[in-house]
DNA sequence: TGTGCTTTAGATTTCTGGTT
DNA sequence: AACCAGAAATCTAAAGCACA
C-alpha cells in the first residue's frame, strides 16, 4: 500500500536528511516515518534512501524517484487548487509552525473556531524553536509561522505582546533590592547566566550593545532555565507567559527599560490559497 | 554518552464484504 | 441502507543497535 502521505514523508526525509525531523514535520513518530518509507521501497522493489552514513541520502535511483514524486505532488496540489477556485472554497492542509509563547496559546481558540467553520481545510500545527520554525518556513514545510520578535516588514498579522522578566536566585545580591525595582540588561549581562532559547535571548542583549559574558548553562526550554535559577546556577530572562507560577527560591523582576516580546504571523511566499482563508479568518477575530 | 534509526509487539482505526 | 465482524493498515512505545 502506498498513499500520498508516504510520498510526502519520503520527500520530507530527503529534504531534511533525517527521519526524526521528517516525522516531526508530519506529526508522526520516527517509527511511523521509517515504516512508511520502507513500505514505499518495498512496493517499488528498490532502495530509495541510504540510511548510512547519516544524514540519510537518496540513492541514484532514489534521486530520480524523489524528483518524480515532487512533480507528482505539485501537480496534485495544483489540481486541488484549481478545483478549489472553481467551487469557491479551498481544501487542503495548512501547516502552521509555532514557537511556544502567549500568542500561540491565545491562537488555540480562534484556530478551533476555524476548524469548525472550515472542516475541509486541515490545520497541521508544528512546534519548534525559532530557528526550527524559520527553517520550516524557508523549506516550505510550514505555510505560516508564528514567530516572536519578527521585523515589521515580514509580518503578515501582528499578534499579542508580553513582557520579558528577569529571574534571580533568592541568595543573589540582586535579591536584596526593593520589590518593584527593575533590572537593566546591563545588570544581567555580566552575571552567571542560565540560557534557554539562545536564539531569542541573545538578540535582546545584542540589540542593547551587550554580550552575555558568563553563560553557566544552556538548557532546553524556559522551565529548565527556571529550575536552574531556583537551584542557584545563575540568573535568567524569560517571557512572562513562560515564568512558572511557583516563585519559591527565586525573585522575579521586571526589566528597565521594559522589553516586550511581540509575536506575529509570517506567511511563506507562494503559499497556497487555503492559507489566505486561514489568515482572513484570524484577522477578522 | 547522546542521538537517531530499525524492529517488534500490541493497540487503534479504517476498510471490506456479508447479512439482515 | 444499516449494521456487524474480520482483515488490513497504521500508529505508538519500548528495546536494541550503530554511530559520532
Amino acid at each position: 500500500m502506498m498513499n500520498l502521505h508516504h510520498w510526502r514523508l519520503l520527500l520530507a526525509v530527503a529534504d531534511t536528511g533525517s527521519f526524526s525531523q521528517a516525522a516531526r514535520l508530519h506529526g508522526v513518530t520516527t517509527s511511523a516515518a521509517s515504516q512508511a518509507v520502507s513500505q514505499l521501497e518495498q512496493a517499488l522493489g528498490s532502495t530509495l534512501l541510504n540510511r548510512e552514513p547519516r544524514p540519510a541520502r537518496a540513492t541514484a535511483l532514489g534521486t530520480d524517484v524523489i524528483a518524480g514524486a515532487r512533480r507528482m505532488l505539485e501537480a496534485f496540489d495544483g489540481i486541488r487548487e484549481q478545483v478549489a477556485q472553481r467551487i469557491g472554497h479551498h481544501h487542503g492542509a495548512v501547516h502552521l509552525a509555532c514557537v511556544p509563547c502567549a500568542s500561540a496559546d491565545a491562537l488555540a481558540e480562534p484556530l478551533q473556531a476555524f476548524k469548525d467553520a472550515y472542516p475541509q481545510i486541515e490545520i497541521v500545527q508544528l512546534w519548534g524553536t525559532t530557528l526550527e520554525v524559520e527553517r520550516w518556513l524557508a523549506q516550505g514545510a510550514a505555510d505560516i509561522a508564528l514567530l516572536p520578535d519578527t521585523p515589521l516588514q515580514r509580518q503578515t498579522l501582528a499578534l499579542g505582546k508580553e513582557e520579558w522578566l528577569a529571574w534571580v536566585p533568592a541568595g543573589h545580591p540582586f535579591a536584596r533590592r526593593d520589590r518593584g525595582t527593575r533590572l537593566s540588561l546591563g545588570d544581567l549581562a555580566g552575571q552567571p547566566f542560565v540560557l534557554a532559547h539562545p536564539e531569542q535571548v541573545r538578540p535582546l542583549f545584542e540589540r542593547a550593545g551587550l554580550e552575555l559574558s558568563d553563560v553557566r548553562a544552556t538548557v532546553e526550554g524556559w522551565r529548565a532555565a527556571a529550575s536552574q535559577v531556583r537551584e542557584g546556577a545563575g540568573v535568567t530572562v524569560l517571557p512572562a507567559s513562560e515564568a512558572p507560577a511557583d516563585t519559591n527560591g527565586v525573585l522575579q523582576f521586571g526589566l528597565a527599560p521594559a522589553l516586550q516580546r511581540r509575536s506575529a504571523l509570517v506567511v511563506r511566499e507562494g503559499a497556497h490559497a487555503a492559507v489566505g482563508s486561514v489568515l482572513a479568518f484570524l484577522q477578522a477575530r
Side-chain angles (χ1 to χ4, degrees):
Chain A
M1 268 288 286
M2 48 175 140
N3 57 34
L4 288 177
H5 190 52
H6 287 89
W7 289 106
R8 291 197 198 278
L9 275 168
L10 173 67
L11 293 195
V13 175
D15 289 343
T16 62
S18 157
F19 279 78
S20 40
Q21 273 193 54
R24 233 176 114 195
L25 283 174
H26 285 266
V28 298
T29 61
T30 313
S31 170
S34 169
Q35 286 179 41
V37 174
S38 296
Q39 281 171 30
L40 261 185
E41 291 178 323
Q42 220 170 355
L44 295 173
S46 178
T47 303
L48 303 176
L49 294 173
N50 277 326
R51 274 76 166 170
E52 305 293 338
R54 283 175 205 147
R57 289 195 194 287
T59 60
L61 176 60
T63 304
D64 293 342
V65 170
I66 286 163
R70 221 180 279 284
R71 287 194 297 273
M72 175 182 74
L73 288 173
E74 279 169 10
F76 175 74
D77 290 340
I79 290 167
R80 211 151 61 163
E81 192 63 43
Q82 233 173 5
V83 172
Q85 278 172 5
R86 286 282 184 89
I87 64 177
H89 58 78
H90 299 292
H91 288 255
V94 172
H95 290 79
L96 168 62
C98 300
V99 175
C101 61
S103 299
D105 296 341
L107 216 50
E109 203 187 313
L111 278 179
Q112 189 53 54
F114 179 86
K115 287 173 187 172
D116 294 341
Y118 298 91
Q120 76 278 10
I121 298 178
E122 186 192 2
I123 304 278
V124 182
Q125 217 167 346
L126 315 165
W127 297 92
T129 63
T130 307
L131 293 176
E132 284 174 321
V133 168
E134 289 275 14
R135 193 174 67 236
W136 294 339
L137 195 66
Q139 288 175 343
D143 302 303
I144 310 175
L146 194 169
L147 289 161
D149 293 328
T150 308
L152 275 173
Q153 62 272 21
R154 286 188 70 197
Q155 297 182 7
T156 304
L157 179 60
L159 298 172
K161 54 188 177 184
E162 58 183 314
E163 205 174 334
W164 284 95
L165 300 173
W167 267 42
V168 171
H172 193 279
F174 286 165
R176 289 199 288 274
R177 298 195 180 184
D178 291 339
R179 294 292 165 87
T181 308
R182 287 180 171 265
L183 298 177
S184 71
L185 290 178
D187 289 333
L188 299 165
Q191 298 297 317
F193 202 91
V194 179
L195 183 59
H197 291 279
E199 79 283 357
Q200 293 183 51
V201 174
R202 282 195 191 278
L204 286 181
F205 287 86
E206 285 163 9
R207 282 198 289 268
L210 298 164
E211 200 183 337
L212 291 170
S213 58
D214 188 10
V215 175
R216 294 289 170 96
T218 302
V219 296
E220 193 73 32
W222 304 112
R223 304 251 153 202
S227 301
Q228 292 278 316
V229 172
R230 212 185 293 281
E231 286 168 21
V235 303
T236 196
V237 295
L238 73 178
S241 67
E242 304 291 347
D246 175 13
T247 54
N248 265 337
V250 298
L251 277 110
Q252 183 173 288
F253 293 93
L255 294 178
L259 285 175
Q260 307 277 0
R261 184 166 81 149
R262 295 164 190 276
S263 305
L265 293 180
V266 178
V267 175
R268 177 171 62 82
E269 268 183 53
H272 54 90
V275 173
S277 305
V278 178
L279 282 173
F281 186 88
L282 295 177
Q283 218 146 15
R285 290 174 74 92

